[in-house]
Amino acid sequence: YCLYSLGQVFRGTISDAADFDPTADAETLYNAMKGIGSDKEAILDLVTARSNAQRQEIIGAYKCSFGKDLIEDLKYELTGKFERLIVSLMRTPAYLDAKEIHDAVKGVGTNERCLIEILASRNNKQTQDMVAAYKDAYGRDMEEDIITDTSGHFKKMLVVLIQGTRDESGVVDADLVQQDAQDLYEAGEAQWGTDEAKFIMILGNRSVTHLRMVFDEYEKVAEMSIEDSIKNELSGDFERLMLAVVQCIRSVPMFFAKRLYKAMKGLGTADNTLIRIMISRSEIDMLDIREFFRLRYEKSLYNMIKDDTSGDYKRTLLNLCGGDDDLAGEFFPEAAQIAYKMWELSAMTKVQLRPTIRPASDFDPAADAQALRKAMKGFGTDEDTIIDIVTQRSNAQRQEIRQTFKSLLGRNLMKDLKSELSKNLERLIIGLMMTPAEFDAKMMKKAIEGAGTDEHALIEILVTRSNEEIQAMNSAYQSAYNTSLEEDIQSDTSGHFCRILVSLVQVGTIFYHKNSDCELANACNGESDDMEMKFMSILCTRSFPHLRRVFQEFVRHTNKDIEQIIKKEMSGDVKHAFYAIVRSVKNQPSYFADRLYKAMKGLGTDDRALIRIMVSRSEIDLFNIRKEFKEAHDVSLHEFIQVETMIVSPSPCLLTLFCAYVLFSSLCFWTFFRAAFDSHSEHATAHSSSAAVVGYGNL
């Protein structure tokens, strides 16, 4: 995740216009606004073709030539989002930032995310100029207004950032790097509670270069990233602010790429955020933001703006964006270096996978078997007891319960559960009671049988399972259905897609091949069929660590993004399969987070996908998936499940839906508890709350 800056070269999309004549431009704008209506196209074309310094000269020339205030005339002639965008472009960067801060704190409520974005991302000079502009424009002290409108550690860190006194010398003391890393560890992970003041002092004052080295050293000391520690130790707006500071220390363009994505994804657009970022970065690092955006979201910033906005507002934003990276398919030289570095870091980084379900302490299979029998005896069923037992035992413990249930009571637990439960709750509970291999085999069978094939389910399972898991699934499939999984895949799919799935379902074929990188690059110059076969021979057989190196070298050989090549050159299920492999190689928890989001967004829920992922990942990496989900979609997985599976009326027919919600919530319960606990205490930590209420074994 540590993405180093590209140096002090111009990376903006807007620069000084050649042969600039402020008087002629002022006259053009005057003519565009006189009479009935206004020539919006002429206005936006001119304004976006001039640098901010040149726009200030135009404002002066306009007043000299016509005795009028250009900004006031623009406000009068234009309306809505387009007016906000054009008028904001006419302000200096310092006065635009000052206005955004003022709007964030004035009136009822505070726009904390705006405060975080601006104050975490500006350098010393930008901050000092903004503070001076605020005083000039509003006759008030910015620091005093922020102190009045915020509180706690969040307020303290904002005050530190407002000073604009971060060390910018570039000098690094190796001993101090080690000391700061150790101090941060002792202030958080190494103790009960958190010393927030230590985090504020170090992250708010040390230089960018120094902190990058501290973050690397911290990972060695704590065996986790500084981001993970902040998420564990801090909460609320203070957590968001400190994460933003860390992200900006690592890479300001990546920070803004994430902000832009969140501003446009889903229903509706956060237009103020979109306007603010597109303007403020257009003369600084918009080219880098575009590349980071494409690297992370597999879509160009240009196309996302094009799909999410309209009219003159859209045209102006696209002019600021400056170009469509999807058309080129290649990186800018600096961005190619970053992509190369990202794959290198991906290859080197060891991610600690964390489950949400762990073995229960003081486990008594006989007592659990008796409790489950009691919950299903007589009239009605005690779903709560079933849910509590099943979601608080590991899969191995559930298998002991199954065996004990038969030994003690002479009954088949699975049959009893099927007869007592129904619909999604039954599917979920039965899925949890199966072994992982049995569950995967059943999910593969469901994806294949009947009319139509669930290709996405086949891809998801085969791409993300290890050799051992695939071997166990093959055996379970043969045992349950008296046929081989490979034969069923061949009978239900065809062409290159069939060959890809058959290749993935094999075991023992992952090996190292030193020429894979060159072969993959050379394949892009051949025929479509040849390219797909070569991609299959490499992507379906090499280990994930090896593929990370291959994709890294692919960037170096071709100056192209492997994901972009797959999207551009391939189609249908073949494209989806290769794309899933690359996403899993890059970041498998992120891949699953995206699958969960797609399963629940929009009208209706893909319950089978939701159940499949929640069950299969709960003892592997569901905690990591939750973090990736929150990072990508700015909402917790728990909250999203709550909305998508919430009971909307007391009708008995929705009882099953409610029970399914309860169980999903149990699988990712900690997200909900932490949010509730944090709302009461700024000092809440993951350590104290988990120990006090649910215990580590129930996470």
Side-chain angles (χ1 to χ4, degrees):
Y1 295 109
C2 189
L3 306 170
Y4 296 94
S5 65
L6 303 173
Q8 301 301 313
V9 295
F10 178 75
R11 298 291 296 158
T13 51
I14 304 296
S15 58
D16 287 342
D19 302 321
F20 171 60
D21 184 343
T23 302
D25 285 350
E27 186 173 351
T28 299
L29 289 173
Y30 179 79
N31 291 332
M33 291 186 283
K34 74 178 182 179
I36 299 174
S38 55
D39 186 348
K40 297 180 180 65
E41 191 170 326
I43 294 171
L44 74 87
D45 283 343
L46 188 147
V47 170
T48 57
R50 305 292 184 269
S51 68
N52 188 272
Q54 290 176 331
R55 293 182 209 124
Q56 304 315 307
E57 290 190 55
I58 294 170
I59 290 173
Y62 192 91
K63 184 165 282 188
C64 289
S65 297
F66 306 107
K68 303 180 73 175
D69 187 297
L70 175 56
I71 289 181
E72 291 302 318
D73 280 2
L74 289 168
K75 286 180 179 179
Y76 180 80
E77 291 291 333
L78 309 177
T79 59
K81 294 177 286 189
F82 180 57
E83 179 235 317
R84 290 208 305 274
L85 179 53
I86 293 295
V87 168
S88 295
L89 278 164
M90 299 307 298
R91 293 192 170 98
T92 66
Y95 278 85
L96 178 59
D97 280 349
K99 184 180 187 303
E100 292 295 305
I101 294 288
H102 183 259
D103 291 347
V105 297
K106 74 175 183 180
V108 178
T110 306
N111 186 347
E112 291 87 0
R113 293 176 192 272
C114 174
L115 296 179
I116 291 169
E117 176 201 301
I118 293 174
L119 293 175
S121 63
R122 301 314 193 243
N123 62 31
N124 286 352
K125 186 177 187 310
Q126 290 169 332
T127 301
Q128 291 161 8
D129 289 347
M130 171 180 61
V131 170
Y134 192 97
K135 183 75 171 178
D136 181 60
Y138 304 108
R140 301 175 61 85
D141 187 81
M142 180 187 290
E143 182 178 328
E144 290 179 2
D145 282 357
I146 287 177
I147 289 173
T148 301
D149 221 54
T150 58
S151 61
H153 298 300
F154 178 58
K155 174 184 71 177
K156 293 172 187 173
M157 185 62 177
L158 290 177
V159 170
V160 169
L161 295 173
I162 288 168
Q163 307 313 305
T165 55
R166 183 183 295 281
D167 177 14
E168 293 183 343
S169 66
V171 177
V172 177
D173 182 336
D175 291 336
L176 185 58
V177 166
Q178 291 188 334
Q179 184 62 54
D180 281 349
Q182 189 64 40
D183 286 350
L184 286 171
Y185 177 65
E186 291 175 358
E189 295 293 337
Q191 69 173 25
W192 189 272
T194 308
D195 181 0
E196 291 88 351
K198 185 64 70 175
F199 277 82
I200 291 172
M201 188 276 289
I202 294 175
L203 296 183
N205 290 282
R206 301 288 194 253
S207 73
V208 170
T209 307
H210 175 88
L211 284 174
R212 285 174 181 162
M213 296 179 70
V214 169
F215 297 161
D216 290 342
E217 188 65 29
Y218 182 88
E219 195 150 343
K220 298 175 187 175
V221 173
E223 297 185 343
M224 68 171 65
S225 69
I226 187 68
E227 289 93 338
D228 286 345
S229 287
I230 288 172
K231 291 171 185 176
N232 288 342
E233 298 295 329
L234 311 180
S235 63
D237 291 323
F238 183 46
E239 175 194 349
R240 282 187 280 273
L241 174 58
M242 298 305 266
L243 285 173
V245 169
V246 170
Q247 289 166 11
C248 288
I249 292 297
R250 291 199 187 275
S251 170
V252 171
M254 178 62 91
F255 170 74
F256 281 115
K258 291 178 183 178
R259 289 284 293 159
L260 284 168
Y261 178 76
K262 289 177 180 179
M264 290 183 282
K265 74 177 182 69
L267 296 175
T269 305
D271 291 295
N272 285 344
T273 300
L274 181 57
I275 290 169
R276 182 172 61 246
I277 297 174
M278 294 302 293
I279 292 174
S280 66
R281 311 314 295 185
S282 62
E283 296 185 42
I284 301 175
D285 53 7
M286 184 58 69
L287 292 177
D288 299 323
I289 292 170
R290 278 166 41 182
E291 286 302 320
F292 279 117
F293 194 97
R294 191 178 68 165
L295 274 171
R296 186 173 181 86
Y297 303 111
E298 295 86 44
K299 182 175 185 177
S300 71
L301 176 59
Y302 187 96
N303 273 327
M304 190 140 186
I305 292 171
K306 188 176 179 181
D307 293 342
D308 212 60
T309 59
S310 61
D312 296 315
Y313 176 59
K314 175 174 74 175
R315 285 199 57 206
T316 308
L317 290 172
L318 293 178
N319 284 356
L320 294 176
C321 183
D324 182 3
D325 303 309
D326 283 345
L327 293 177
E330 297 188 9
F331 290 119
F332 296 111
E334 294 87 348
Q337 293 169 21
I338 294 170
Y340 186 88
K341 184 69 176 177
M342 285 179 70
W343 281 113
E344 182 178 48
L345 290 167
S346 177
M348 294 170 56
T349 302
K350 292 182 179 180
V351 178
Q352 180 186 1
L353 299 181
R354 298 174 64 184
T356 55
I357 301 295
R358 296 178 183 272
S361 57
D362 302 322
F363 171 59
D364 184 344
D368 285 347
Q370 294 284 6
L372 286 171
R373 177 60 187 148
K374 183 179 178 182
M376 293 184 284
K377 254 185 9 180
F379 183 74
T381 305
D382 183 355
E383 290 95 349
D384 288 344
T385 295
I386 296 172
I387 290 168
D388 287 344
I389 292 174
V390 172
T391 60
Q392 294 181 42
R393 306 293 184 268
S394 68
N395 189 273
Q397 290 175 332
R398 293 183 208 123
Q399 303 317 308
E400 287 190 58
I401 295 171
R402 282 176 66 178
Q403 185 59 49
T404 304
F405 196 89
K406 181 170 284 188
S407 301
L408 283 181
L409 305 169
R411 301 176 66 90
N412 186 308
L413 176 56
M414 302 294 269
K415 287 184 178 179
D416 282 3
L417 288 169
K418 286 179 181 179
S419 69
E420 293 294 327
L421 306 174
S422 62
K423 298 185 179 177
N424 282 339
L425 181 58
E426 179 214 330
R427 297 186 191 107
L428 193 45
I429 291 290
I430 293 299
L432 285 163
M433 293 304 302
M434 290 178 166
T435 66
E438 290 171 340
F439 182 68
D440 280 347
K442 182 178 180 182
M443 292 297 100
M444 291 294 288
K445 186 66 173 177
K446 290 290 185 183
I448 292 171
E449 69 181 0
T453 305
D454 187 347
E455 292 86 359
H456 289 291
L458 297 178
I459 292 168
E460 175 201 300
I461 295 170
L462 292 178
V463 161
T464 59
R465 301 311 192 252
S466 67
N467 269 358
E468 293 77 11
E469 289 168 332
I470 288 177
Q471 187 171 22
M473 176 179 63
N474 282 335
S475 297
Y477 195 96
Q478 180 74 49
S479 175
Y481 307 111
N482 296 316
T483 182
S484 77
L485 175 57
E486 181 178 332
E487 288 173 358
D488 278 1
I489 288 173
Q490 288 175 327
S491 67
D492 209 60
T493 59
S494 61
H496 286 314
F497 180 58
C498 175
R499 286 191 277 273
I500 290 168
L501 296 181
V502 169
S503 179
L504 290 170
V505 88
Q506 308 305 309
V507 294
T509 56
I510 294 179
F511 58 91
Y512 175 79
H513 195 298
K514 65 180 181 180
N515 294 322
S516 295
D517 43 24
C518 296
E519 292 174 10
L520 201 63
N522 293 337
C524 295
N525 300 319
E527 296 294 325
S528 176
D529 280 359
D530 293 340
M531 181 172 68
E532 290 180 355
M533 291 301 293
K534 180 57 68 177
F535 268 58
M536 183 183 75
S537 70
I538 296 173
L539 269 63
C540 296
T541 63
R542 309 300 197 256
S543 70
F544 276 21
H546 177 70
L547 285 175
R548 291 188 184 101
R549 292 297 188 188
V550 171
F551 298 155
Q552 178 187 7
E553 290 304 309
F554 185 87
V555 173
R556 186 168 68 86
H557 281 285
T558 67
N559 200 38
K560 295 178 181 178
D561 173 18
I562 185 70
E563 294 171 74
Q564 200 66 21
I565 291 295
I566 290 170
K567 288 173 65 178
K568 186 177 180 180
E569 301 295 336
M570 300 178 189
S571 61
D573 294 323
V574 171
K575 177 179 74 173
H576 295 149
F578 286 146
Y579 189 67
I581 292 171
V582 175
R583 286 291 310 277
S584 292
V585 169
K586 181 182 285 187
N587 185 336
Q588 195 165 95
S590 174
Y591 168 72
F592 278 116
D594 186 55
R595 291 283 297 144
L596 284 169
Y597 180 75
K598 289 176 179 175
M600 292 183 281
K601 73 171 184 175
L603 295 175
T605 300
D606 184 349
D607 295 300
R608 187 168 288 171
L610 182 57
I611 291 170
R612 183 175 61 245
I613 297 171
M614 295 295 289
V615 170
S616 65
R617 310 313 295 183
S618 60
E619 292 186 51
I620 301 174
D621 56 2
L622 188 52
F623 187 91
N624 306 78
I625 292 168
R626 281 182 4 210
K627 290 201 302 181
E628 294 292 341
F629 194 97
K630 180 71 179 288
E631 178 71 18
H633 305 293
D634 212 25
V635 62
S636 74
L637 177 57
H638 179 281
E639 290 167 339
F640 208 70
I641 290 172
Q642 185 177 21
V643 170
E644 290 299 320
T645 60
M646 183 178 291
I647 190 165
V648 294
S649 78
S651 169
C653 69
L654 290 173
L655 180 60
T656 300
L657 187 61
F658 173 74
C659 290
Y661 154 64
V662 172
L663 184 49
F664 282 133
S665 299
S666 298
L667 292 175
C668 62
F669 168 75
W670 174 235
T671 303
F672 167 77
F673 177 76
R674 180 180 175 189
F677 191 83
D678 288 351
S679 67
H680 292 287
S681 171
E682 185 178 33
H683 301 280
T685 67
H687 296 314
S688 59
S689 45
S690 61
V693 180
V694 295
Y696 188 66
N698 289 334
L699 286 178

